[in-house]
Amino acid sequence: MKLEICHVTKYRYDASVTDSVNEIRLTPRTDERQACYQHRLVIDPNVQLLSYEDYFGNRVHSFTAHAPHRELVITSYSTVVTRDKDVLWSAAWGPEESWNRLKSEDFIDGYAEYLLPSSYVSFHPRVEAYASGIRGEEDGVFGFIRNAGSAIYGDFEYKPLSTGVQTTADELIGIGSGVCQDFAHLLIAVCRLRGVPSRYVSGYHFVGDLQGRDADFEQASHAWVEVYIPGVGWQGIDPTNNNLIDWRYVKLGHGRDYADIVPVKGIYRGTSGQELQVTVDVRLAETG
């Protein structure tokens, strides 16, 4: 399917600010499941953009707005063609073989960055206790992951504003509700505690034609998880919706946790008073 995305990030300041230095990670990936046909950034005030790839292979744009300004608007336009990935699950290793592979020294060394705790993905005793209650190892790595995603989907309420951007996996368990970022971090923690490499993914989820939703449905950026399945490779799973990743999902990038893949981040010189507004529109491209 061809999807068109418009993502607008708008900062308003109480007084003029200067020397606004920013990094943007809003360029969709091109991989075996999706192709980014077009991506364009529009920045107001006008700035010179620099571009590079970070350690994880994500496309990064950076800029500095030196002149005084009271508003900064970053608009990202993308056209992406997605498809349902043809996964040959017959290639997946058997339960014993797959778990043994995850325990091998060379495998652990090769995927260490996706196995260790991080700032959001803590191995807090509360998280360890939750992970220990999830079963499904007898069904192999994939079966366990599906059970873990379903458990998080059933155990926690999706409730906007119940958590903040700094909420960690163990804090989610204490609160009992959260948003996609929180559910992704908890699933990553559960996976890593069992020795399954997992990484945080940022992107978009097209929902315009589901459950009677129309074009006025309020959309937002989304987050999910990719896990490594021996014999198959990296596969996406969305604990917020209890789904495997399909054509409705557009990937921007991945990292160890949210801190590695913040869509827009920066610093500036001036007032501390600011207002942030983010709008996202994901729709099917018109054909004909």
Side-chain angles (χ1 to χ4, degrees):
M1 287 292 184
K2 181 181 288 188
L3 299 172
E4 294 179 340
I5 303 148
C6 179
H7 184 149
V8 182
T9 305
K10 182 180 295 184
Y11 295 94
R12 291 192 178 95
Y13 307 102
D14 292 345
S16 290
V17 303
T18 60
D19 300 325
S20 179
V21 182
N22 298 269
E23 285 186 349
I24 306 170
R25 288 173 171 82
L26 290 173
T27 305
R29 286 255 185 166
T30 291
D31 56 25
E32 69 278 2
R33 197 188 59 81
Q34 66 179 45
C36 180
Y37 274 43
Q38 177 182 346
H39 179 246
R40 179 167 60 97
L41 284 170
V42 178
I43 315 295
D44 185 17
N46 189 37
V47 295
Q48 181 178 358
L49 282 171
L50 301 176
S51 178
Y52 63 92
E53 279 193 2
D54 66 14
Y55 173 79
F56 301 100
N58 305 308
R59 175 57 54 185
V60 184
H61 291 86
S62 63
F63 68 86
T64 301
H66 293 288
H69 55 280
R70 295 194 62 169
E71 185 175 87
L72 173 65
V73 183
I74 301 168
T75 305
S76 173
Y77 300 97
S78 304
T79 301
V80 182
V81 174
T82 65
R83 68 180 181 89
D84 290 336
K85 185 177 178 181
D86 298 324
V87 180
L88 298 177
W89 292 109
S90 59
W93 297 359
E96 182 177 359
E97 186 181 15
S98 62
W99 286 114
N100 286 339
R101 175 56 177 157
L102 296 186
K103 296 174 183 177
S104 65
E105 185 175 344
D106 66 316
F107 186 89
I108 294 173
D109 288 344
Y111 292 91
E113 61 202 356
Y114 299 120
L115 290 169
L116 296 172
S118 60
S119 55
Y120 287 93
V121 183
S122 68
F123 287 1
H124 187 280
R126 188 182 293 164
V127 179
E128 291 183 343
Y130 181 80
S132 67
I134 296 176
R135 297 290 178 259
E137 296 94 334
E138 66 278 4
D139 296 322
V141 175
F142 177 69
F144 171 77
I145 297 306
R146 286 297 276 154
N147 280 355
S150 296
I152 293 171
Y153 176 78
D155 291 341
F156 298 91
E157 177 187 4
Y158 181 84
K159 188 176 181 181
L161 304 181
S162 61
T163 57
V165 71
Q166 300 296 331
T167 301
T168 61
D170 58 285
E171 291 171 338
L172 167 65
I173 295 176
I175 296 169
S177 61
V179 295
C180 58
Q181 173 180 313
D182 306 306
F183 300 160
H185 284 144
L186 180 55
L187 179 56
I188 291 170
V190 170
C191 292
R192 291 180 185 175
L193 281 166
R194 295 297 181 89
V196 182
S198 54
R199 58 196 188 192
Y200 183 97
V201 180
S202 71
Y204 307 103
H205 184 203
F206 174 67
V207 294
D209 64 344
L210 295 178
Q211 302 175 5
R213 292 165 173 164
D214 56 29
D216 295 328
F217 179 78
E218 185 176 351
Q219 300 180 73
S221 54
H222 195 47
W224 60 93
V225 177
E226 287 179 345
V227 297
Y228 191 89
I229 310 297
V232 175
W234 291 102
Q235 297 298 312
I237 180 171
D238 178 7
T240 304
N241 295 290
N242 200 22
N243 288 336
L244 295 178
I245 300 309
D246 58 22
W247 68 266
R248 297 178 181 279
Y249 293 80
V250 174
K251 177 179 177 177
L252 288 174
H254 64 251
R256 294 164 298 183
D257 61 20
Y258 172 75
D260 287 333
I261 193 63
V262 180
V264 179
K265 65 178 179 180
I267 58 173
Y268 62 88
R269 187 190 305 274
T271 177
S272 61
Q274 68 169 319
E275 176 187 347
L276 170 62
Q277 179 184 359
V278 179
T279 58
V280 174
D281 180 35
V282 183
R283 64 181 62 202
L284 288 173
E286 294 183 2
T287 58

